[in-house]
Amino acid sequence: MMKAVVVNAPMDYGLKEVEKPQCPKAGLVIRVHACGLCGSDLRTLRNGHRNVTLPWIIGHEVSGRVCEVGPEYEGEYCEGDMLAVAPLVYCGKCEFCQRQHYELCENYRELAQAWPGGFAEYMALPAEALRLGTICLSPDGLDPAVAAIAEPISSCINAQEKGQVSKSDTVVVLGTGPIGCIHIALAKAKGVKCVIGADVNEDRLAFARLFEADHVVNTSEVNIVEEVRRLTDGKGAEVIITANPIPETQVQAVEMAKKGGRVLLFGGLPKEQSKPGIDTNIIHYNALQIIGTTTMAPRHHRRALELLAEGKLDGEKLVSHRFELSQFEKGVELAFAGKVLKAVFLA
Ligand SMILES: [Zn+2]
Ligand SMILES: [Zn+2]
């Protein structure tokens, strides 16, 4: 038996004794060390999830040590290896996978959805995930709590790569929750000219300051479009990243872009609000690039772990709260209240 957080129904979850996972014939079992709490976990706890059949064990930002090896496992990992586990599992067969555009896989599945997740003492890693997924050896000496959160960082790396963020750019990050702060940290690590963080919430703006955004703007007090123009000699910013679910943000992003600028739509919008009324003439006449971006490919996960191990990204700063798995409810409550940048649970 093992301890795991079981989600029974929306807003009904808790620590339970459950059956320890069996080792998949060609897979592995890890003894989970850490599992990060993601915004999407909070949504699943609140509303359930279309790909999750309750009751279920969620948690998809995981690190842990291999403790069991299936008899038919053919991969490179051995008992005792510390692995960083991100949840994506690609099909390897669709046209996008064939071209290594794994993040667009037509049949991708996720750990913690199609297989049980990591808010538990043990987690099984199926052969598919080990073969065509986002599971890496955690670099030597990297804190397991930090290795676990390589997953959200990976998606941000993919986005900034697509947006060709470079040293001469001013980068505006709209929304400074965990994802926004990762974007700020990545842009700073790249050495861009200037990073502007904007949010309506003072707690989240404090996070942006912690990650050393050059300017922090409270958008409930200041018109962000005018402020960005003021800070850029009237020209606007080269790169704008939307990292919140607010439609108006996408409208503003286009309005604050420099001619030829790139707008990265990182945060999705609620389904019924996804036509925000962008002035497309601005896109046309200012030759803007609007770039949609989602998830990541395996190489982004490897890159995230490298950046963390090299200290170019301060993972310890990102992990603002650590809890024992038995304190799951307490951690989730704090996260729902918006007091947490990134909570990690140690099993
Ligand atoms: Zn996540
Ligand atoms: Zn595919």
Side-chain angles (χ1 to χ4, degrees), residues 97 140 187 193 199 235 262 289-290 307 310-311 336 344:
C97 281
D140 267 344
K193 192 163 105 195
D199 205 293
K235 293 189 166 157
R262 287 94 73 201
Q289 295 179 56
I290 310 295
L307 288 173
E310 290 163 6
F336 270 131
V344 170

Side-chain angles (χ1 to χ4, degrees), residues 37-41 60-61 87 151-152 342:
L37 181 69
C38 176
S40 72
D41 294 329
H60 60 263
E61 302 174 357
E151 185 257 342
K342 194 82 196 164

Side-chain angles (χ1 to χ4, degrees), residues 56-213:
W56 197 245
I57 300 170
I58 62 168
H60 60 263
E61 302 174 357
V62 185
S63 69
R65 225 176 257 293
V66 177
C67 62
E68 238 182 294
V69 179
E72 290 165 25
Y73 174 69
E74 286 178 341
E76 67 207 271
Y77 303 131
C78 310
E79 201 174 324
D81 281 348
M82 178 64 87
L83 303 182
V85 179
L88 299 169
V89 182
Y90 312 101
C91 79
K93 297 187 182 109
C94 72
E95 64 167 294
F96 299 102
C97 281
Q98 296 279 310
R99 289 188 210 151
Q100 270 96 53
H101 293 310
Y102 293 106
E103 65 269 46
L104 302 178
C105 173
E106 288 185 309
N107 315 299
Y108 87 90
R109 290 175 292 171
E110 287 193 23
L111 298 174
Q113 293 182 357
W115 301 270
F119 288 129
E121 289 180 306
Y122 296 90
M123 180 180 178
L125 302 179
E128 298 94 311
L130 289 156
R131 209 172 46 239
L132 269 168
T134 41
I135 296 173
C136 287
L137 207 54
S138 178
D140 267 344
L142 186 63
D143 177 349
V146 169
I149 61 160
E151 185 257 342
I153 298 170
S154 318
S155 316
C156 297
I157 290 174
N158 181 22
Q160 294 205 12
E161 190 182 283
K162 277 187 162 180
Q164 298 177 317
V165 174
S166 60
K167 281 199 162 94
S168 56
D169 292 336
T170 290
V171 177
V172 182
V173 178
L174 300 172
T176 60
I179 290 294
C181 285
I182 292 169
H183 276 301
I184 291 170
L186 282 173
K188 292 297 287 184
K190 188 144 254 172
V192 304
K193 192 163 105 195
C194 174
V195 180
I196 303 170
D199 205 293
V200 291
N201 175 300
E202 270 306 326
D203 290 330
R204 288 197 296 265
L205 289 170
F207 295 142
R209 281 185 200 101
L210 185 68
F211 285 90
E212 293 163 37

Side-chain angles (χ1 to χ4, degrees), residues 159 161-164 174 237-242 247-267 269 274 276-294:
E161 190 182 283
K162 277 187 162 180
Q164 298 177 317
L174 300 172
E238 283 85 0
V239 176
I240 299 103
I241 302 171
T242 69
E248 178 65 11
T249 296
Q250 298 191 350
V251 176
Q252 292 170 331
V254 166
E255 290 172 357
M256 70 181 73
K258 189 176 185 172
K259 283 186 181 181
R262 287 94 73 201
V263 174
L264 299 177
L265 301 183
F266 189 92
L269 300 180
S274 61
I278 291 170
D279 181 347
T280 61
N281 264 349
I282 303 176
I283 301 173
H284 170 72
Y285 287 110
N286 291 349
L288 303 184
Q289 295 179 56
I290 310 295
I291 300 168
T293 167
T294 179

